[in-house]
Amino acid sequence: MPSVTLSRANRATHELSGRLSRRTPIQSSRAVLQTPRGIQRGYPSRDIVHLRSTRACWSSGLPSARPLTPNARPFKPFTDPQPTTVHVHTYMHTTAKVMTKASRADDSITKSAEIQLNIGSRRIALGIDIGGSGIKGALVDLDLGELVTERHRIPTPEGASPKDVCRVVGELAKHFNWNGPIGVGFPAAIRRGEVLTAANISKEWIGLNVEELIKKETGSSLVKVANDADVAGCAEVEFGAAKGVPGLVMMFTFGTGIGASLFIDGKLVPNAELGHIILANGLEAELFASDAVRSKEDLGMKKWGGRVSTFLVYMESLFWPDLIVVGGGISKKHEKWLPVLNVKTKVVPAQMMNAAGIVGAAAQMASFVPQ
């Protein structure tokens, strides 16, 4: 990991003018916080900067962050004549966001600082989700299943050829200044790194070892690639809607196509390409009920939900699962189409939302990163 000298770090820290109070020196484990709107108490906004001492923050890293809870009450900013102190490692995500905006004068310092501020002593891997329209990545805490940096997205190159896709993956790794463990979700059946199918990507991929190509492009010696639907399902089983559910769990992601993953008592059955199954109406499932088809045919939510129901009823008749999880971007609007479904099996929306592919991809690396 690149190191940043103390003098350069000091320069970058001072660039955060208007954010850090000049009335009180930075203490070893906490900082005085001030914004143009005055001293903040309670739960901070994006304007607040949290820093440990300059030496600890930029040289030796930070301790494990405690993430904000989803139900954290919003704070109400007010002006207080007395300085307010907040433990620095409580709100690590805010620090990285503000640092990225405030230190544009030297991008190398900004990138290195962001990695240092977010990693600390945690087990981290870069998760990359290769999709039909975008290739997304973020650093992930392998124990909490949470993003430690903001997600970065680059549009998928037209044609999705091996050369172009690998170039974008390299750009993502460079964006995070990362050559450590990398996990990737890939839109194809994968066996020991080899691409076996190419439904929504270039046919040039078939037979290539995508893991070796990404290692060469990123400089990382530790890369694992699996089917994109499988890794999204792994995220839900490990951290989300299917955590602790026994028996057979099926997850379907609705996007450019229909991705499917199967789990028996938490164990993945890989490469279940059920989105390509032929339905009773003679149509391939993802050509009938994918989110891309909904958009292309301008279908209303209820009408499209009816198509999804047809697909899920057929899946239910074949597998009789204990739980079905539905994901993909369209799952954010689940209240508009889940009530239309006519299946006996319990159906729940994915909890990881757009982070599922990234978190699940990174989670592949958990057994390779020491405790």
Side-chain angles (χ1 to χ4, degrees):
M1 183 183 302
S3 61
V4 181
T5 63
L6 188 58
S7 60
R8 295 177 71 201
N10 276 326
R11 188 172 74 250
T13 301
H14 290 310
E15 290 176 8
L16 302 174
S17 58
R19 299 272 202 272
L20 199 60
S21 172
R22 288 176 170 77
R23 291 182 294 175
T24 304
I26 301 175
Q27 303 301 317
S28 60
S29 62
R30 56 183 65 190
V32 175
L33 312 176
Q34 187 171 12
T35 76
R37 292 179 293 176
I39 297 294
Q40 311 280 339
R41 276 183 175 165
Y43 293 91
S45 73
R46 293 179 131 180
D47 293 330
I48 297 180
V49 177
H50 304 266
L51 292 173
R52 285 186 75 186
S53 66
T54 303
R55 185 178 300 278
C57 184
W58 294 81
S59 300
S60 60
L62 290 174
S64 176
R66 296 196 300 273
L68 289 172
T69 60
N71 298 320
R73 60 184 174 84
F75 72 98
K76 294 183 179 180
F78 60 90
T79 302
D80 189 326
Q82 298 299 320
T84 301
T85 58
V86 178
H87 285 289
V88 63
H89 59 272
T90 303
Y91 309 108
M92 202 64 59
H93 299 275
T94 306
T95 306
K97 292 175 184 175
V98 176
M99 184 69 71
T100 301
K101 294 177 181 178
S103 186
R104 291 177 180 171
D106 190 331
D107 287 341
S108 63
I109 292 181
T110 299
K111 291 179 182 178
S112 182
E114 184 171 356
I115 300 299
Q116 291 279 0
L117 285 169
N118 284 282
I119 288 181
S121 60
R122 290 186 285 179
R123 299 198 307 146
I124 303 294
L126 175 59
I128 295 177
D129 179 18
I130 298 176
S133 60
I135 300 177
K136 304 154 292 266
L139 293 181
V140 177
D141 185 309
L142 299 179
D143 297 309
L144 298 177
E146 295 178 343
L147 306 187
V148 241
T149 59
E150 289 190 351
R151 186 182 71 155
H152 185 63
R153 181 184 185 276
I154 301 175
T156 302
E158 185 175 354
S161 68
K163 180 180 179 180
D164 290 340
V165 170
C166 286
R167 173 181 52 78
V168 171
V169 170
E171 289 176 9
L172 280 173
K174 186 177 181 180
H175 172 81
F176 293 104
N177 199 21
W178 187 260
N179 63 357
I182 300 175
V184 181
F186 194 83
I190 302 290
R191 184 169 57 205
R192 292 184 290 276
E194 181 184 351
V195 180
L196 304 177
T197 61
N200 297 307
I201 54 175
S202 169
K203 303 297 182 183
E204 297 174 29
W205 278 106
I206 295 179
L208 297 181
N209 190 306
V210 62
E211 291 179 357
E212 295 302 321
L213 292 175
I214 292 176
K215 285 179 182 179
K216 183 178 179 181
E217 188 69 35
T218 62
S220 172
S221 61
L222 199 55
V223 174
K224 294 293 290 183
V225 179
N227 174 265
D228 56 349
D230 284 349
V231 300
C234 286
E236 293 296 334
V237 168
E238 186 71 20
F239 305 107
K243 183 176 181 179
V245 177
L248 176 59
V249 173
M250 304 182 76
M251 178 171 174
F252 298 101
T253 53
F254 296 90
T256 304
I258 299 178
S261 54
L262 276 69
F263 298 84
I264 300 177
D265 292 329
K267 303 294 184 181
L268 173 67
V269 180
N271 296 319
E273 293 282 84
L274 296 175
H276 300 295
I277 201 166
I278 304 301
L279 302 175
N281 58 17
L283 296 176
E284 185 177 323
E286 68 176 27
L287 298 181
F288 175 69
S290 69
D291 188 37
V293 169
R294 178 196 63 81
S295 179
K296 181 179 179 180
E297 298 184 15
D298 195 24
L299 300 175
M301 283 297 180
K302 289 186 177 180
K303 186 170 184 180
W304 178 74
R307 292 193 179 192
V308 173
S309 183
T310 298
F311 169 64
L312 293 183
V313 166
Y314 189 49
M315 292 294 97
E316 184 180 54
S317 70
L318 295 176
F319 295 96
W320 296 104
D322 296 280
L323 178 70
I324 294 175
V325 181
V326 291
I330 195 67
S331 66
K332 291 185 291 186
K333 301 177 181 179
H334 61 86
E335 71 282 350
K336 295 183 179 181
W337 56 274
L338 280 189
V340 179
L341 303 183
N342 186 30
V343 292
K344 298 177 181 179
T345 303
K346 182 179 180 180
V347 181
V348 298
Q351 292 181 2
M352 305 297 289
M353 297 297 183
N354 285 337
I358 294 173
V359 171
Q364 299 179 81
M365 312 311 299
S367 60
F368 298 96
V369 182
Q371 294 283 353

